[in-house]
Amino acid sequence: MKRLFLLSSILCFALSVTLRAEQVRIYTTTADGKKQMEYTTAQTSRSKLAKHIALTPSETFQEMDGFGYAITYSASYNLMQMSPADRRAFLTRTFSRTDGYGVSYVRISIGCSDFSSTEYSLCDKEGLENFRLHQDETRYVIPILKEILAINPDLKIMAAPWTCPKWMKVKSLSNRVGYDSWTSGSLNPDHYQTYADYFVLFVQAFAAEGIPIYAVTPQNEPLNRGNCASLYMPWDEEAAFVNKLAPAFAHAGIKTKIYCFDHNYNYDNMADQQDYPINFYNALDPDMDGRELVVGSAWHDYGGSVTELDDINQKAPDKEIIFTETSIGTWNDGRNLSSRLLTDMQNLVYNTVIRKSKAVMVWNFMLDLNRGPNLDGGCQTCYGAVDIDQNDYHTLTYNSHYFVMAHASLAAHPGARRIAASMASAVSDINFIAFSNPDGTYGAVIFNTGGTSQQVSVAANSTSVARLTLPAKSIVTVVIGGEDEQKPQLQGKTLTSTKQLGCYEGTLEVQQWASLEQNFISGGMAHCSGFLLVRCGRQSPDLSSHRWHLQCGSG
């Protein structure tokens, strides 16, 4: 006779989520790590709390492009070492708009960065007839981008070079001798047009792979001579180059945006480089083809204060701003969630987005526990947004940058507008930023820096008030609107949500060794094609003593 046992299962699957207007979705991460993107739902009411955040959809600011991570060779290499099922689940959870957090922007390098397998350009032999993608792209970065695009076809991708080909370099514009080094040097003005055509070939090569490049910058950290792959490009030289780049894009029918600068708030303390973007804009040819492609400036925060953006906005109010790089590492206690989570939310999202930033990206998406792989001369002390254990390429540790980008992505979908939000009686421990999304929902990121839990309400109107708890030292994203979520059922029982978005918990009674078929579940299974049964916990002859996870899979 076959013995029966209870199978505690977690069902992770693609759901066609529909929401009612009064639906509230809440995601919570605490600095102590006890809650990590914990997902709950609620219904709106008409009752406000004493601490109430009023959203004002009629008062709008910049349109949002998204939030995300850098897909370096190192990140791609680590991702490719994961099992296909693990990688698919992780990328879905991160990038899917319907079954994940909806991260929507990534940054890649044009040629090598300091997190590549080696120093290289895409044309190491002189002459553009020798242009070709490197194996870092063909074996790692491009396959990962294709997997992400299959999950989120609206993903935006921006690209920046760390160096031009060495044969295009001179020691300086005042000493135009060849400079055979990956580090430093200047772009030879004789090669401005050639290098512009190199950018065209790059965009076209990725387009041929089905990967659209949404934006570029002419040079990563143009005032940093010391990176293992680098090129010095002060504002006047960058403007002279873009006077060739923008027309080259226009004549090739390329609509890719061009952002200038891509460096620190303090201009690396170079007096003659202060107000780099403003000087750059003023030096552009006003009559060049493609001038409309030059849309704004990109920023890093390794030096200076974010208040520099106030000055840039005042002097160039018609230009866009995006934030393209910051890192966690040994120097800022980067793996300590308790010290980084709220600081990073404040500095990276709140402080930049209230200053018109349309996008925010952090550095490496994934590194291993040895902070690699990386190159000598590059950052040896950086951590990833996620760290993977290289001993099993399965165990993941999520750092502050992962959570900060995920929370922001859930609140502000691509095309969202930042909207005004206010609290009648300001509370020093609570900060927030809000958005109106194209699907009619409202999203807000609220963070509580205080040591005690607080109750707040949020609403765009008096009839749909969301009431939520802000745990001590936490980030909470709330999304108001849409239609009611349809939760799946297990043998007639409605399943409850667990900590991971798209996952539900229930109890299933099955016979020992029974095969598990799709008909064990009703509802929400439109995208499921099979089941993968994974046993967790200690080995035991008694199967009923095991913990089991049941996951929807493709095999």
Side-chain angles (χ1 to χ4, degrees):
M1 179 177 177
K2 292 185 177 179
R3 188 158 47 85
L4 297 178
F5 64 92
L6 292 179
L7 174 63
S8 293
S9 63
I10 295 178
L11 309 175
C12 302
F13 41 83
L15 294 175
S16 300
V17 177
T18 55
L19 303 171
R20 278 202 313 265
E22 65 269 25
Q23 179 73 14
V24 179
R25 290 176 286 159
I26 303 165
Y27 310 83
T28 303
T29 301
T30 54
D32 62 11
K34 292 181 179 179
K35 296 178 185 289
Q36 297 187 1
M37 304 302 298
E38 183 175 277
Y39 173 49
T40 58
T41 60
Q43 299 292 314
T44 57
S45 69
R46 295 173 179 266
S47 177
K48 299 179 182 179
L49 297 174
K51 297 174 183 176
H52 179 73
I53 300 170
L55 309 183
T56 309
S58 60
E59 188 176 349
T60 63
F61 304 95
Q62 78 273 24
E63 182 177 323
M64 300 304 300
D65 281 338
F67 302 86
Y69 316 94
I71 304 298
T72 59
Y73 156 79
S74 297
S76 301
Y77 175 88
N78 288 321
L79 286 163
M80 292 294 283
Q81 307 315 303
M82 300 174 74
S83 72
D86 280 355
R87 183 172 65 251
R88 182 171 58 251
F90 172 64
L91 293 178
T92 298
R93 183 165 66 251
T94 303
F95 292 97
S96 174
R97 172 59 59 200
T98 56
D99 306 310
Y101 307 136
V103 169
S104 59
Y105 215 144
V106 298
R107 182 170 178 247
I108 64 174
S109 61
I110 301 175
C112 72
S113 73
D114 51 327
F115 282 87
S116 294
S117 66
T118 187
E119 291 93 347
Y120 69 92
S121 75
L122 302 180
C123 191
D124 285 340
K125 184 178 179 181
E126 185 169 359
L128 291 185
E129 67 274 12
N130 298 306
F131 180 97
R132 60 182 52 84
L133 298 177
H134 189 270
Q135 67 174 2
D136 279 20
E137 284 84 34
T138 58
R139 293 180 58 186
Y140 296 100
V141 175
I142 286 174
I144 290 300
L145 290 177
K146 286 182 176 180
E147 288 193 33
I148 297 172
L149 283 165
I151 293 165
N152 184 349
D154 297 324
L155 182 79
K156 289 182 171 62
I157 301 167
M158 82 165 307
W162 266 238
T163 179
C164 65
K166 289 194 293 182
W167 53 270
M168 295 186 187
K169 285 187 175 185
V170 291
K171 189 170 184 178
S172 69
L173 265 59
S174 60
N175 185 9
R176 296 192 189 186
V177 296
Y179 193 73
D180 186 20
S181 174
W182 293 114
T183 301
S184 193
S186 296
L187 178 62
N188 186 341
D190 292 342
H191 286 306
Y192 283 171
Q193 184 63 57
T194 308
Y195 197 35
D197 294 338
Y198 173 98
F199 271 71
V200 169
L201 291 174
F202 166 78
V203 173
Q204 291 174 337
F206 270 67
E209 294 287 342
I211 300 172
I213 302 299
Y214 179 75
V216 298
T217 59
Q219 175 60 38
N220 171 71
E221 297 187 352
L223 304 180
N224 178 4
R225 295 178 182 270
N227 213 341
C228 63
S230 53
L231 180 73
Y232 181 64
M233 189 177 275
W235 63 262
D236 54 335
E237 294 178 34
E238 185 163 294
F241 169 59
V242 172
N243 282 334
K244 300 293 186 181
L245 177 62
F249 276 3
H251 298 161
I254 291 172
K255 304 298 184 183
T256 298
K257 292 184 175 185
I258 301 170
Y259 291 91
C260 72
F261 191 46
D262 208 1
H263 208 170
N264 292 332
Y265 298 135
N266 67 350
Y267 310 103
D268 276 16
N269 297 314
M270 297 181 182
D272 62 343
Q273 296 304 310
Q274 300 300 303
D275 277 354
Y276 187 119
I278 306 305
N279 292 323
F280 166 88
Y281 300 143
N282 291 336
L284 291 177
D285 179 355
D287 299 319
M288 71 177 175
D289 293 338
R291 185 181 172 92
E292 72 282 358
L293 300 175
V294 183
V295 296
S297 56
W299 298 83
H300 302 180
D301 73 346
Y302 300 115
S305 169
V306 69
T307 56
E308 178 61 20
L309 300 184
D310 296 328
D311 177 63
I312 298 301
N313 283 326
Q314 188 273 326
K315 292 175 178 175
D318 59 331
K319 293 297 186 182
E320 297 178 8
I321 281 175
I322 59 174
F323 185 89
T324 49
E325 187 183 319
T326 188
S327 187
I328 47 176
T330 58
W331 69 91
N332 60 12
D333 204 13
R335 284 181 176 151
N336 185 346
L337 197 62
S338 64
S339 69
R340 297 273 11 128
L341 182 69
L342 297 171
T343 297
D344 289 341
M345 177 56 76
Q346 176 80 37
N347 291 341
L348 305 186
V349 174
Y350 183 81
N351 285 348
T352 61
V353 173
I354 66 168
R355 291 175 170 87
K356 287 181 52 178
S357 183
K358 292 169 61 72
V360 178
M361 283 167 279
V362 297
W363 192 213
N364 285 287
F365 183 34
M366 178 184 285
L367 295 179
D368 65 28
L369 296 181
N370 290 328
R371 302 183 295 275
N374 57 31
L375 282 177
D376 292 340
C379 181
Q380 305 295 308
T381 56
C382 292
Y383 299 138
V386 177
D387 292 327
I388 191 166
D389 189 336
Q390 68 275 13
N391 296 304
D392 61 13
Y393 286 106
H394 172 78
T395 305
L396 301 177
T397 301
Y398 298 88
N399 296 321
S400 61
H401 280 182
Y402 183 82
F403 295 123
V404 167
M405 293 298 99
H407 272 283
S409 296
L410 285 162
H413 307 173
R417 285 276 179 182
R418 179 169 71 89
I419 60 174
S422 61
M423 184 178 284
S425 298
V427 180
S428 60
D429 294 339
I430 297 176
N431 216 339
F432 45 85
I433 192 164
F435 307 90
S436 174
N437 287 306
D439 64 359
T441 61
Y442 298 107
V445 180
I446 310 166
F447 47 111
N448 174 15
T449 61
T452 59
S453 177
Q454 304 197 54
Q455 305 294 313
V456 301
S457 56
V458 185
N461 60 69
S462 60
T463 62
S464 296
V465 179
R467 297 158 62 100
L468 55 145
T469 299
L470 306 179
K473 297 187 181 303
S474 68
I475 300 171
V476 175
T477 292
V478 57
V479 180
I480 306 170
E483 297 183 3
D484 199 10
E485 181 180 357
Q486 297 178 342
K487 294 181 179 178
Q489 291 190 333
L490 186 66
Q491 292 185 334
K493 297 179 181 179
T494 299
L495 303 183
T496 57
S497 61
T498 65
K499 288 186 178 181
Q500 291 185 351
L501 179 64
C503 298
Y504 291 81
E505 184 175 33
T507 301
L508 174 64
E509 188 176 85
V510 298
Q511 290 183 332
Q512 184 175 340
W513 306 118
S515 62
L516 300 178
E517 303 293 345
Q518 185 167 325
N519 60 16
F520 274 84
I521 299 177
S522 63
M525 299 300 295
H527 302 286
C528 285
S529 59
F531 291 106
L532 172 67
L533 187 62
V534 181
R535 186 172 62 193
C536 305
R538 296 188 306 168
Q539 294 290 327
S540 169
D542 181 5
L543 288 177
S544 64
S545 68
H546 288 273
R547 283 186 64 233
W548 296 77
H549 288 191
L550 182 62
Q551 294 183 307
C552 177
S554 60

Coordinates of all heavy atoms in Angstrom, one line a residue, residues 453-513:
S453 N 9.2 50.9 14.0 CA 8.3 50.7 12.9 C 7.2 51.9 12.9 O 6.9 52.4 14.0 CB 7.5 49.4 13.1 OG 6.6 49.2 12.1
Q454 N 6.8 52.2 11.7 CA 5.8 53.3 11.6 C 4.7 52.9 10.6 O 4.9 52.2 9.7 CB 6.5 54.6 11.1 CG 7.7 55.0 12.0 CD 8.1 56.5 11.8 OE1 7.3 57.4 11.9 NE2 9.4 56.7 11.5
Q455 N 3.5 53.5 10.9 CA 2.4 53.3 10.0 C 2.1 54.5 9.2 O 2.1 55.6 9.7 CB 1.1 53.0 10.9 CG 1.3 51.8 11.9 CD 1.4 50.5 11.2 OE1 0.7 50.2 10.2 NE2 2.4 49.7 11.6
V456 N 2.0 54.3 7.9 CA 1.7 55.4 7.0 C 0.6 55.1 6.1 O 0.3 53.9 5.8 CB 2.9 55.9 6.2 CG1 4.1 56.3 7.2 CG2 3.4 54.8 5.3
S457 N 0.0 56.1 5.5 CA -1.0 55.8 4.4 C -0.5 56.6 3.2 O 0.2 57.6 3.3 CB -2.4 56.2 4.8 OG -2.5 57.6 5.2
V458 N -0.9 56.2 2.0 CA -0.5 56.8 0.7 C -1.7 56.9 -0.2 O -2.4 55.9 -0.3 CB 0.6 56.0 0.0 CG1 1.1 56.8 -1.2 CG2 1.8 55.7 1.0
A459 N -1.9 58.0 -0.9 CA -3.1 58.0 -1.8 C -2.9 59.2 -2.8 O -2.3 60.2 -2.5 CB -4.4 58.2 -1.0
A460 N -3.4 58.9 -4.0 CA -3.5 60.0 -5.0 C -4.9 60.6 -4.9 O -5.1 61.7 -5.5 CB -3.3 59.4 -6.4
N461 N -5.9 60.0 -4.3 CA -7.2 60.6 -4.1 C -7.8 60.0 -2.8 O -7.3 59.0 -2.3 CB -8.1 60.3 -5.3 CG -8.3 58.8 -5.5 OD1 -8.9 58.1 -4.8 ND2 -7.7 58.3 -6.6
S462 N -8.9 60.6 -2.4 CA -9.4 60.2 -1.1 C -10.1 58.9 -1.0 O -10.5 58.4 0.0 CB -10.4 61.3 -0.6 OG -11.5 61.5 -1.6
T463 N -10.4 58.3 -2.2 CA -11.2 57.1 -2.2 C -10.3 55.8 -2.3 O -10.8 54.7 -2.2 CB -12.2 57.1 -3.4 OG1 -11.4 57.2 -4.6 CG2 -13.1 58.2 -3.3
S464 N -9.0 56.0 -2.6 CA -8.1 54.8 -2.7 C -6.9 55.1 -1.9 O -5.8 55.5 -2.4 CB -7.8 54.6 -4.2 OG -8.9 54.2 -5.0
V465 N -7.0 54.8 -0.6 CA -5.9 55.0 0.3 C -5.2 53.7 0.7 O -5.9 52.8 1.1 CB -6.4 55.7 1.6 CG1 -5.3 55.9 2.6 CG2 -7.1 57.0 1.3
A466 N -3.9 53.7 0.5 CA -3.2 52.5 0.8 C -2.6 52.7 2.2 O -2.0 53.7 2.5 CB -2.0 52.3 -0.2
R467 N -2.8 51.7 3.1 CA -2.2 51.8 4.5 C -1.1 50.7 4.6 O -1.4 49.5 4.2 CB -3.3 51.5 5.5 CG -4.4 52.6 5.4 CD -5.7 52.1 6.0 NE -5.6 51.7 7.4 CZ -6.0 52.5 8.4 NH1 -6.5 53.7 8.2 NH2 -5.9 52.1 9.7
L468 N 0.0 51.1 5.1 CA 1.1 50.1 5.1 C 2.0 50.4 6.3 O 2.0 51.5 7.0 CB 1.9 50.2 3.9 CG 2.5 51.5 3.4 CD1 3.9 51.3 2.8 CD2 1.5 52.2 2.4
T469 N 2.8 49.4 6.6 CA 3.7 49.4 7.7 C 5.1 49.6 7.2 O 5.6 48.9 6.3 CB 3.7 48.1 8.6 OG1 2.4 48.0 9.1 CG2 4.7 48.1 9.7
L470 N 5.9 50.6 7.8 CA 7.3 50.7 7.4 C 8.1 50.2 8.6 O 8.2 50.8 9.7 CB 7.6 52.2 7.3 CG 6.8 53.1 6.3 CD1 7.3 54.5 6.3 CD2 6.9 52.5 4.9
P471 N 8.7 49.0 8.5 CA 9.5 48.5 9.6 C 10.7 49.4 9.8 O 11.0 50.2 9.0 CB 10.0 47.1 9.0 CG 9.0 46.7 8.0 CD 8.6 48.0 7.4
A472 N 11.3 49.2 11.0 CA 12.4 50.0 11.3 C 13.5 49.8 10.3 O 13.8 48.7 9.8 CB 13.0 49.6 12.7
K473 N 14.2 50.9 9.9 CA 15.3 50.9 8.9 C 14.9 50.0 7.7 O 15.5 48.9 7.5 CB 16.5 50.4 9.6 CG 17.0 51.3 10.7 CD 18.4 50.9 11.2 CE 18.8 51.9 12.3 NZ 18.8 53.3 11.9
S474 N 14.0 50.5 6.9 CA 13.5 49.7 5.8 C 13.2 50.5 4.6 O 13.1 51.7 4.6 CB 12.2 49.0 6.2 OG 11.1 49.9 6.4
I475 N 13.1 49.8 3.4 CA 12.6 50.4 2.2 C 11.3 49.7 1.9 O 11.2 48.4 1.9 CB 13.6 50.2 1.0 CG1 14.9 50.9 1.3 CG2 13.0 50.7 -0.3 CD1 16.0 50.5 0.3
V476 N 10.3 50.4 1.5 CA 9.0 49.8 1.1 C 8.6 50.5 -0.2 O 8.5 51.7 -0.3 CB 7.9 50.1 2.2 CG1 6.5 49.6 1.7 CG2 8.3 49.4 3.5
T477 N 8.3 49.6 -1.2 CA 7.7 50.1 -2.4 C 6.3 49.7 -2.4 O 5.9 48.6 -2.1 CB 8.4 49.5 -3.7 OG1 9.7 50.0 -3.8 CG2 7.7 49.8 -4.9
V478 N 5.4 50.7 -2.7 CA 4.0 50.5 -2.8 C 3.5 50.8 -4.2 O 3.9 51.8 -4.7 CB 3.2 51.2 -1.7 CG1 3.5 52.7 -1.8 CG2 1.7 51.0 -1.8
V479 N 2.7 49.9 -4.8 CA 2.1 50.2 -6.1 C 0.6 50.1 -5.9 O 0.0 49.1 -5.4 CB 2.5 49.1 -7.1 CG1 1.9 49.4 -8.5 CG2 4.1 49.1 -7.2
I480 N -0.1 51.2 -6.3 CA -1.5 51.4 -6.1 C -2.2 51.4 -7.4 O -1.8 52.1 -8.3 CB -1.9 52.7 -5.3 CG1 -1.1 52.8 -4.0 CG2 -3.4 52.8 -5.1 CD1 -1.2 54.1 -3.3
G481 N -3.2 50.5 -7.6 CA -4.0 50.5 -8.8 C -3.8 49.2 -9.6 O -3.2 48.2 -9.2
G482 N -4.5 49.1 -10.8 CA -4.5 47.9 -11.5 C -5.7 47.1 -11.1 O -6.7 47.6 -10.5
E483 N -5.7 45.9 -11.5 CA -6.8 45.0 -11.1 C -6.4 43.9 -10.1 O -5.2 43.7 -10.0 CB -7.4 44.3 -12.4 CG -8.0 45.4 -13.4 CD -8.6 44.7 -14.6 OE1 -8.6 43.5 -14.6 OE2 -9.0 45.5 -15.5
D484 N -7.4 43.3 -9.5 CA -7.1 42.4 -8.4 C -6.3 41.2 -8.9 O -6.5 40.6 -10.0 CB -8.4 41.9 -7.9 CG -8.3 41.3 -6.5 OD1 -7.2 41.4 -5.9 OD2 -9.2 40.7 -6.0
E485 N -5.4 40.8 -8.1 CA -4.5 39.6 -8.4 C -5.3 38.3 -8.3 O -6.0 38.1 -7.4 CB -3.3 39.6 -7.4 CG -2.4 38.5 -7.7 CD -1.2 38.5 -6.7 OE1 -1.2 39.4 -5.9 OE2 -0.4 37.6 -6.8
Q486 N -5.1 37.5 -9.3 CA -5.7 36.1 -9.3 C -4.7 35.1 -8.8 O -3.7 34.8 -9.4 CB -6.1 35.7 -10.7 CG -7.2 36.6 -11.3 CD -7.5 36.2 -12.7 OE1 -6.8 35.5 -13.4 NE2 -8.7 36.7 -13.2
K487 N -4.9 34.7 -7.5 CA -4.0 33.7 -6.9 C -4.4 32.3 -7.3 O -5.6 32.0 -7.4 CB -4.1 33.9 -5.4 CG -3.5 35.2 -4.9 CD -3.6 35.3 -3.4 CE -3.0 36.6 -2.9 NZ -3.1 36.7 -1.4
P488 N -3.4 31.5 -7.6 CA -3.7 30.1 -8.0 C -4.2 29.3 -6.8 O -4.0 29.7 -5.7 CB -2.3 29.6 -8.4 CG -1.4 30.4 -7.7 CD -2.0 31.8 -7.5
Q489 N -4.8 28.2 -7.2 CA -5.3 27.3 -6.1 C -4.6 25.9 -6.2 O -4.2 25.5 -7.3 CB -6.8 27.1 -6.3 CG -7.6 28.3 -6.0 CD -9.1 28.0 -5.9 OE1 -9.6 27.1 -6.5 NE2 -9.8 28.8 -5.1
L490 N -4.5 25.3 -5.1 CA -3.9 24.0 -5.0 C -4.9 23.0 -4.4 O -5.2 23.2 -3.2 CB -2.6 24.1 -4.1 CG -1.7 22.9 -4.0 CD1 -1.1 22.5 -5.4 CD2 -0.6 23.2 -3.0
Q491 N -5.3 22.0 -5.1 CA -6.4 21.1 -4.6 C -7.5 21.8 -4.0 O -8.0 21.5 -2.9 CB -5.8 20.1 -3.7 CG -4.8 19.1 -4.4 CD -4.3 18.0 -3.4 OE1 -4.2 18.2 -2.2 NE2 -3.9 16.9 -4.0
G492 N -8.0 22.9 -4.6 CA -9.1 23.7 -4.1 C -8.8 24.7 -3.1 O -9.6 25.4 -2.6
K493 N -7.5 24.8 -2.7 CA -7.1 25.8 -1.6 C -6.4 26.9 -2.3 O -5.5 26.7 -3.1 CB -6.2 25.1 -0.6 CG -6.9 24.0 0.2 CD -5.9 23.4 1.2 CE -6.5 22.3 2.0 NZ -5.5 21.7 2.9
T494 N -6.7 28.2 -1.9 CA -6.0 29.3 -2.4 C -4.6 29.4 -1.8 O -4.5 29.2 -0.6 CB -6.8 30.6 -2.2 OG1 -8.1 30.5 -2.8 CG2 -6.0 31.8 -2.7
L495 N -3.6 29.7 -2.6 CA -2.3 29.7 -2.1 C -1.9 31.1 -1.6 O -2.3 32.1 -2.2 CB -1.3 29.2 -3.2 CG -1.5 27.8 -3.7 CD1 -0.4 27.5 -4.7 CD2 -1.5 26.8 -2.6
T496 N -1.1 31.2 -0.6 CA -0.7 32.5 -0.1 C 0.7 32.9 -0.7 O 1.5 32.0 -0.9 CB -0.6 32.5 1.4 OG1 0.3 31.5 1.8 CG2 -2.0 32.3 2.0
S497 N 1.0 34.2 -0.8 CA 2.3 34.6 -1.3 C 3.4 34.4 -0.3 O 3.1 34.5 0.9 CB 2.2 36.1 -1.7 OG 1.9 36.9 -0.6
T498 N 4.6 34.2 -0.8 CA 5.7 34.1 0.0 C 6.6 35.3 -0.2 O 6.2 36.2 -0.8 CB 6.5 32.8 -0.3 OG1 7.0 32.9 -1.6 CG2 5.6 31.6 -0.2
K499 N 7.9 35.2 0.2 CA 8.8 36.3 0.2 C 9.2 36.7 -1.2 O 9.5 37.9 -1.5 CB 10.1 36.1 1.0 CG 9.9 36.1 2.5 CD 11.2 35.9 3.2 CE 11.0 36.0 4.7 NZ 12.3 35.9 5.4
Q500 N 9.1 35.8 -2.2 CA 9.6 36.0 -3.5 C 8.4 36.3 -4.4 O 7.4 35.6 -4.4 CB 10.4 34.9 -4.1 CG 11.7 34.7 -3.4 CD 12.5 33.6 -4.1 OE1 12.0 32.9 -5.0 NE2 13.8 33.5 -3.8
L501 N 8.5 37.4 -5.2 CA 7.4 37.7 -6.1 C 7.2 36.6 -7.1 O 8.1 36.0 -7.6 CB 7.8 39.0 -6.8 CG 6.8 39.5 -7.9 CD1 5.5 39.9 -7.2 CD2 7.4 40.7 -8.6
G502 N 5.9 36.2 -7.3 CA 5.6 35.2 -8.2 C 5.6 33.8 -7.6 O 5.5 32.8 -8.3
C503 N 5.9 33.7 -6.3 CA 5.9 32.4 -5.6 C 4.8 32.3 -4.6 O 4.5 33.3 -3.9 CB 7.3 32.2 -4.9 SG 8.7 32.3 -6.1
Y504 N 4.2 31.1 -4.5 CA 3.1 30.9 -3.6 C 3.4 29.6 -2.8 O 4.1 28.7 -3.2 CB 1.8 30.8 -4.4 CG 1.4 32.1 -5.0 CD1 2.0 32.5 -6.2 CD2 0.5 32.9 -4.3 CE1 1.6 33.7 -6.7 CE2 0.2 34.1 -4.9 CZ 0.7 34.5 -6.1 OH 0.4 35.7 -6.6
E505 N 2.8 29.6 -1.6 CA 3.1 28.5 -0.7 C 1.7 27.8 -0.4 O 0.7 28.4 -0.2 CB 3.7 29.1 0.6 CG 4.1 28.0 1.6 CD 4.8 28.6 2.8 OE1 4.4 29.8 3.2 OE2 5.6 28.0 3.4
G506 N 1.8 26.5 -0.4 CA 0.6 25.7 0.0 C 1.1 24.3 0.4 O 2.2 24.0 0.5
T507 N 0.1 23.5 0.7 CA 0.4 22.1 1.1 C -0.4 21.1 0.2 O -1.5 21.3 -0.1 CB -0.1 21.8 2.6 OG1 0.6 22.8 3.4 CG2 0.2 20.4 3.0
L508 N 0.4 20.1 -0.3 CA -0.2 19.2 -1.2 C 0.0 17.8 -0.7 O 1.1 17.4 -0.3 CB 0.6 19.4 -2.6 CG 0.3 18.4 -3.7 CD1 -1.2 18.5 -4.1 CD2 1.2 18.6 -4.9
E509 N -1.1 17.0 -0.8 CA -1.0 15.6 -0.3 C -0.8 14.7 -1.6 O -1.6 14.8 -2.5 CB -2.3 15.2 0.4 CG -2.2 13.8 1.0 CD -3.5 13.5 1.8 OE1 -4.5 13.0 1.1 OE2 -3.5 13.7 3.0
V510 N 0.3 14.0 -1.6 CA 0.6 13.2 -2.8 C 1.0 11.8 -2.3 O 1.5 11.6 -1.2 CB 1.7 13.8 -3.7 CG1 1.3 15.1 -4.2 CG2 3.0 14.0 -2.9
Q511 N 0.9 10.8 -3.2 CA 1.4 9.5 -2.9 C 2.9 9.4 -3.1 O 3.5 10.1 -4.0 CB 0.8 8.5 -3.8 CG -0.7 8.3 -3.5 CD -1.3 7.2 -4.4 OE1 -0.9 7.0 -5.5 NE2 -2.3 6.5 -3.9
Q512 N 3.6 8.6 -2.3 CA 5.0 8.4 -2.5 C 5.3 8.0 -3.9 O 4.7 7.1 -4.5 CB 5.5 7.4 -1.5 CG 7.0 7.2 -1.5 CD 7.4 6.2 -0.4 OE1 6.6 6.0 0.5 NE2 8.5 5.6 -0.5
W513 N 6.4 8.7 -4.5 CA 6.8 8.4 -5.8 C 5.8 8.8 -6.9 O 6.0 8.6 -8.1 CB 7.2 7.0 -6.1 CG 8.2 6.5 -5.1 CD1 8.1 5.5 -4.2 CD2 9.5 7.0 -4.9 NE1 9.2 5.4 -3.4 CE2 10.1 6.3 -3.8 CE3 10.3 8.1 -5.5 CZ2 11.4 6.5 -3.4 CZ3 11.6 8.3 -5.0 CH2 12.1 7.6 -4.0

